[in-house]
Amino acid sequence: MNKTSAMIKQIQATYPESSISVKDVVDSILHRNQQGRNYFTLTIIRDGLSISNEYNKEIFNILIELASPRYNFLTLHFNFINDDGEPIEIDGELYYESIKTGTFFDPEKGTEVENYLERIFPFFKVVSE
Amino acid sequence: MTQELSLHEVFAIYNLDPQIRRRINLRAVRDPKSFLEILMEDIEEAIEELQTKRDLFNKEDVNEDLITTYVISNLNGKGHDASHDNKDGGHVDVTIINKNCNIKWKAEAKIFNGEGYIYKGWEQLTKRYLAGNKTDSVAGMLIYCFKDNAKSRLASWLAHLSSLESIQQSILPCGLRADTNSILHGSGTQIQVRHFMINLYFPTTSHRAA
């Protein structure tokens, strides 16, 4: 069994009741990655597999598991949407600090952002071999 | 274009369950210090759950491995990469790896059968399993206490340890956790060990408490 198959099997076993196939999610990511995409979100995966949003939780469960360092497959990242509506990638440590303290400062302006969780968007990248 | 989901909306999918927040934190961090903060919280929660079920572990056939397997399984369920009996200078009871943070946290697990018995575990941990590698600056001792007054057992264990080794110790306010700083015999490098005295005393059984 190769590394990807073993990963799929292990994650599927973690969520035996899931209606979403881990293999379908992984295949979709790999297929798009081969076409040059390396930006994946819950919505991109869901729409790519033509799945309704009632399965958001199950898809996110799989994505967050695929981002475990044990598999070296995906990594988790965050975009902050600035006042101009532009995404700015923020460091994972900055995100963690904001969760711990409950405060987040605009990385460009230095001003505190209220309701910052509404302006931070998680996304995933495939780890390059 | 379909609307992307913010963290606020992701948390809402999980009905604000703190577990998803912690799991996202675990995937986000890259600094060993941040990882250890999360790991310590998750170990404390695993211990809390273990102590809640301590009646199930008060049986003759329950050994260190069985309890440790429970802890490992609990931590894996929280998204960690935890394993039991990993071969690394011997069979390490608990190994938790996070490659993003370049950390390998090892722990020795022992049932409290006297300070001398715990010391054997300490020696295994500090003389065999920890080689002074970059990932070897922090470790743990899980001590399963079936006897009463776990707090006093931790104090007696630390007194015993400090009579045999040069350590700096600090007992945490709860009285059931302590950190020690010492020098690894082999490498001469510093090691910080968190000692977890885990209360598994359950008064209806007598064999463990005796």
Side-chain angles (χ1 to χ4, degrees):
Chain A
M1 190 184 295
N2 69 27
K3 205 178 93 178
T4 306
S5 304
M7 173 182 76
I8 290 168
K9 192 176 172 191
Q10 197 165 348
I11 296 174
Q12 197 73 66
T14 307
Y15 297 106
E17 307 294 323
S18 177
S19 329
I20 306 298
S21 155
V22 177
K23 186 174 185 309
D24 287 350
V25 173
V26 170
D27 286 349
S28 170
I29 291 169
L30 289 175
H31 177 69
R32 286 160 182 247
N33 188 238
Q34 278 162 7
Q35 295 174 330
R37 178 188 275 274
N38 201 7
Y39 175 88
F40 297 94
T41 63
L42 189 159
T43 310
I44 288 170
I45 299 297
R46 190 189 67 206
D47 292 354
L49 294 172
S50 304
I51 299 169
S52 79
N53 63 8
E54 71 179 287
Y55 297 103
N56 278 348
K57 186 174 173 179
E58 290 178 58
I59 297 168
F60 199 79
N61 280 341
I62 292 170
L63 288 173
I64 207 75
E65 202 57 36
L66 288 169
S68 167
R70 81 160 69 195
Y71 302 121
N72 201 32
F73 181 68
L74 292 181
T75 47
L76 173 63
H77 303 263
F78 303 92
N79 271 336
F80 167 71
I81 305 299
N82 70 12
D83 290 345
D84 300 324
E86 297 296 324
I88 303 166
E89 187 168 345
I90 56 166
D91 189 79
E93 285 292 328
L94 182 61
Y95 155 76
Y96 176 60
E97 194 60 30
S98 75
I99 289 290
K100 275 198 308 181
T101 59
T103 52
F104 180 82
F105 294 91
D106 186 313
E108 293 175 324
K109 295 180 176 173
T111 51
E112 187 172 348
V113 180
E114 289 194 14
N115 303 323
Y116 63 90
L117 289 175
E118 293 171 12
R119 290 173 62 179
I120 296 179
F121 292 76
F123 68 98
F124 300 85
K125 289 181 187 174
V126 175
V127 176
S128 52
E129 290 294 335
Chain B
M1 186 184 145
T2 316
Q3 181 74 39
E4 295 292 352
L5 270 74
S6 68
L7 276 173
H8 177 75
E9 289 161 314
V10 170
F11 293 156
I13 299 172
Y14 290 84
N15 296 321
L16 306 181
D17 178 355
Q19 272 299 328
I20 189 61
R21 196 175 283 236
R22 280 158 68 173
R23 195 169 284 224
I24 291 173
N25 292 348
L26 188 56
R27 300 292 180 253
V29 293
R30 298 291 183 271
D31 184 328
K33 201 175 149 202
S34 304
F35 170 73
L36 282 169
E37 281 178 3
I38 298 168
L39 178 61
M40 291 305 114
E41 277 180 32
D42 286 342
I43 290 177
E44 288 299 342
E45 200 174 279
I47 289 173
E48 209 168 284
E49 288 164 27
L50 174 65
Q51 290 181 158
T52 304
K53 295 176 181 167
R54 64 192 186 283
D55 54 323
L56 303 175
F57 292 95
N58 273 267
K59 292 175 183 154
E60 289 288 354
D61 56 349
V62 169
N63 57 27
E64 284 155 0
D65 281 351
L66 197 89
I67 309 169
T68 303
T69 302
Y70 174 87
V71 174
I72 298 264
S73 165
N74 189 298
L75 291 171
N76 280 326
K78 291 177 166 62
H80 288 278
D81 183 0
S83 58
H84 179 46
D85 260 355
N86 194 35
K87 185 94 175 63
D88 191 349
H91 292 278
V92 186
D93 286 333
V94 180
T95 305
I96 299 167
I97 297 173
N98 186 303
K99 289 175 189 163
N100 287 347
C101 299
N102 193 28
I103 197 161
K104 192 189 274 186
W105 190 85
K106 297 173 190 169
E108 175 65 12
K110 284 276 181 231
I111 286 176
F112 189 91
N113 282 332
E115 292 81 8
Y117 183 68
I118 306 298
Y119 184 68
K120 284 181 189 169
W122 167 268
E123 284 195 302
Q124 281 178 307
L125 180 69
T126 57
K127 293 181 181 170
R128 291 190 195 167
Y129 307 154
L130 299 168
N133 296 328
K134 265 194 277 186
T135 53
D136 285 345
S137 59
V138 281
M141 289 284 295
L142 302 178
I143 306 169
Y144 308 129
C145 187
F146 289 92
K147 301 178 191 300
D148 63 353
N149 202 344
K151 198 170 163 178
S152 74
R153 311 283 176 183
L154 178 64
S156 66
W157 154 238
L158 291 172
H160 182 76
L161 181 60
S162 59
S163 72
L164 298 169
E165 306 255 350
S166 176
I167 58 160
Q168 288 180 315
Q169 58 170 284
S170 131
I171 298 178
L172 275 61
C174 67
L176 292 168
R177 309 282 181 265
D179 287 329
T180 56
N181 283 290
S182 57
I183 301 296
L184 285 175
H185 293 261
S187 62
T189 54
Q190 185 137 342
I191 179 75
Q192 183 178 70
V193 178
R194 166 77 45 105
H195 303 247
F196 299 86
M197 185 60 75
I198 301 166
N199 170 32
L200 297 179
Y201 175 69
F202 196 69
T204 58
T205 55
S206 57
H207 71 280
R208 298 271 191 201

